[in-house]
Amino acid sequence: MSSTESISPPKSAETNAGHGARAVVHSIASKVLILALQASTGILTARMLLPWGRGELAAMILWPLFIASVTTLGVPSSLIYYLRFRPEDRKELIANGFFMATILGMLATAITVFLLPQWLHQYSPSTVHAAQWFLITVPLCSVTLVGRAVLEASHDFSGSNAIQIITPLATLIGLLCFVAFHRLTPLTAAIAYIAASGPAFWYMAMRLRRVSARVAPPRLPVVKQILSYGIRSYGIDVLGTLTLQVDQVLVVGMLSPSAMGSYVVVLSLSRMLNLFQNSVVMVLFPKAAGRSADEVIAMTGDAVRVSGLVTAVCGIFVCLAGPLLLRLLYGREYVEAAGVLRILVLEVVLSGAVFILAQAFMALDRPGIVTVLQAVGLSFSIPMMLLLIPRYGIYGAAVSLLTSTIARLIFVYVGFHWFLKTKPPSLVPEGADIRLLWSVVSGWRLERAA
């Protein structure tokens, strides 16, 4: 795909909404498959390893993607932004983006290897050593994050989704192989999870050959250009990762492996609801970048209301059926955490709205503002967790997350008035939103039938 092919010409609002909605629906369909695969791996490991073993598994596999995500320096978001605005620099932007991701991943690995034993002091030396060895995949994860950003900037959302499908699919195949040979332990399960990053990386590299230009040597001016936007948007990358994983990072260092295992199970069940907002965010930023403020606000409003409505309806079902779902899917050992599940479901609904609203700031070149707003809100969670987790265990972690998310939602919503000087989009679904949702689903069904 050439530079001119990767950038679509201006279209009418109706056309943009239709194309964006179809892309979101296709992304949701892909993420349903991803969730099914992730649920399969989660159910398998929860039942076979029980809470204690599931906690040890989490302690070993938590770090590669987490470390890669918090050390991006905003390179993925910056590439999406500049590839839309400066297609003529496409070759150099992509090459320098990959170069930066590799270096950052290697540095992050070297630092984390020395810090990990201090944080995992409650785990056995063998578990800690395995977690350290698995850090060698951090650069692989860093480069894959950048590769997905390039694909999304090129509107190759199917390629980005396929990368995310391959990872849990490869994990499930690995787990089933160990089960077949009666060798499934926390360590072998961790190997299956970590090794899955290899096939995803290979597919990403093959897919990029279709949308990227020839490799160019690293150049300092291009690195500075990427960082000029990346540093300002970096906070969003970090905050997004911390919002999803800071609780796990703190819980793994403060509670027993058994408590960690229970928390990971209810967290993974609640996070299945993220598929709607994640699908919207994946499409919204690349589609909105480069458009007028009115268009961006309108697109953001439609996205937050429709996705929020769907997520809330599904969340109510999960809350009502929580104990039954935990017993049937994961085992009776996890039913006691049903109350935590309900708190986390509410947090998921609100946090999804926060990240969709934040895309308006990103698309309008105000990433630094929304970063500060989100950082202030997230800062509430860490001291609360340090205070509540020792007293109330996993309930304390869930309440801390919910409080922080409410604060972030208030800050980002008020930020539309203060910093964008515009009226924020309504969060209450209207009749037009329901009709839009129905038309998109109906159109997708007809398209599938054809």
Side-chain angles (χ1 to χ4, degrees):
M1 180 181 295
S2 66
S3 297
T4 56
E5 292 172 335
S6 63
I7 306 299
S8 303
K11 301 174 182 176
S12 66
E14 293 81 1
T15 302
N16 290 328
H19 288 184
R22 283 194 295 273
V24 169
V25 170
H26 287 212
S27 182
I28 289 176
S30 298
K31 283 181 168 50
V32 167
L33 176 57
I34 295 170
L35 284 179
L37 292 169
Q38 290 176 338
S40 299
T41 60
I43 292 169
L44 180 61
T45 54
R47 285 189 169 275
M48 298 291 292
L49 302 179
L50 301 180
W52 186 277
R54 187 61 184 85
E56 290 189 327
L57 171 62
M60 288 185 280
I61 67 174
L62 174 63
W63 307 102
L65 184 58
F66 173 75
I67 298 300
S69 299
V70 299
T71 56
T72 62
L73 292 185
V75 173
S77 296
S78 185
L79 285 177
I80 291 176
Y81 183 81
Y82 281 119
L83 286 172
R84 295 290 292 165
F85 271 100
R86 300 186 179 181
E88 68 277 5
D89 297 331
R90 180 180 186 82
K91 178 176 66 176
E92 292 186 328
L93 286 169
I94 294 175
N96 284 269
F98 280 119
F99 170 76
M100 295 169 66
T102 303
I103 298 300
L104 291 171
M106 294 172 64
L107 290 175
T109 299
I111 295 172
T112 310
V113 163
F114 293 102
L115 297 179
L116 211 53
Q118 283 69 40
W119 193 242
L120 297 180
H121 58 87
Q122 298 194 69
Y123 292 81
S124 65
S126 60
T127 299
V128 176
H129 293 157
Q132 289 176 301
W133 275 107
F134 292 148
L135 289 172
I136 61 176
T137 61
V138 171
L140 211 63
C141 294
S142 299
V143 173
T144 302
L145 289 173
V146 170
R148 285 186 53 210
V150 174
L151 292 173
E152 291 168 16
S154 305
H155 289 180
D156 185 7
F157 300 111
S158 61
S160 180
N161 283 322
I163 293 171
Q164 297 176 81
I165 291 172
I166 289 173
T167 301
L169 177 60
T171 301
L172 181 59
I173 292 173
L175 290 173
L176 291 175
C177 289
F178 284 121
V179 170
F181 289 98
H182 305 286
R183 292 290 186 269
L184 187 66
T185 66
L187 178 59
T188 58
I191 292 173
Y193 274 90
I194 297 301
S197 60
F201 175 82
W202 177 85
Y203 179 83
M204 180 271 297
M206 295 299 100
R207 193 83 179 195
L208 278 175
R209 296 177 62 182
R210 299 171 53 181
V211 300
S212 60
R214 299 185 306 273
V215 176
R219 291 183 57 239
L220 184 59
V222 182
V223 170
K224 291 181 178 179
Q225 178 185 350
I226 294 173
L227 289 178
S228 67
Y229 184 93
I231 292 297
R232 291 181 293 146
S233 67
Y234 174 48
I236 295 297
D237 293 341
V238 174
L239 292 170
T241 302
L242 290 179
T243 300
L244 294 176
Q245 294 186 293
V246 68
D247 52 337
Q248 297 180 68
V249 171
L250 292 176
V251 168
V252 75
M254 300 174 69
L255 296 181
S256 67
S258 179
M260 180 65 182
S262 296
Y263 187 73
V264 168
V265 164
V266 295
L267 184 69
S268 63
L269 182 56
S270 70
R271 288 296 184 264
M272 290 182 183
L273 298 174
N274 268 332
L275 80 94
F276 304 107
Q277 287 102 334
N278 287 345
S279 299
V280 169
V281 169
M282 174 182 172
V283 176
L284 181 58
F285 181 30
K287 290 284 187 180
R291 303 194 185 279
S292 68
D294 290 340
E295 288 180 300
V296 170
I297 301 301
M299 293 172 67
T300 303
D302 291 341
V304 73
R305 289 191 299 273
V306 173
S307 65
L309 175 63
V310 177
T311 306
V313 171
C314 295
I316 292 173
F317 169 77
V318 172
C319 287
L320 294 176
L324 179 61
L325 290 173
L326 288 171
R327 182 181 294 108
L328 291 178
L329 296 178
Y330 299 98
R332 58 184 177 84
E333 296 85 0
Y334 302 95
V335 175
E336 293 182 356
V340 177
L341 173 63
R342 296 187 179 103
I343 298 173
L344 292 174
V345 165
L346 178 57
E347 191 276 333
V348 165
V349 174
L350 298 180
S351 64
V354 171
F355 277 100
I356 292 176
L357 291 172
Q359 302 311 302
F361 292 80
M362 300 281 286
L364 295 174
D365 197 19
R366 303 300 296 273
I369 295 298
V370 74
T371 295
V372 173
L373 295 175
Q374 295 298 283
V376 173
L378 184 63
S379 66
F380 293 165
S381 67
I382 297 178
M384 288 187 65
M385 285 184 181
L386 295 175
L387 176 65
L388 297 181
I389 289 177
R391 296 184 180 183
Y392 305 106
I394 59 179
Y395 278 89
V399 170
S400 300
L401 269 186
L402 178 59
T403 304
S404 170
T405 297
I406 293 173
R408 292 188 297 113
L409 179 60
I410 294 173
F411 290 153
V412 74
Y413 199 73
V414 174
F416 280 85
H417 280 298
W418 288 354
F419 302 106
L420 298 183
K421 307 301 181 183
T422 186
K423 182 180 179 181
S426 172
L427 301 181
V428 180
E430 303 170 352
D433 300 311
I434 298 175
R435 289 192 295 271
L436 173 62
L437 178 61
W438 178 253
S439 65
V440 169
V441 173
S442 299
W444 179 68
R445 289 170 59 189
L446 291 174
E447 182 180 323
R448 296 287 292 179

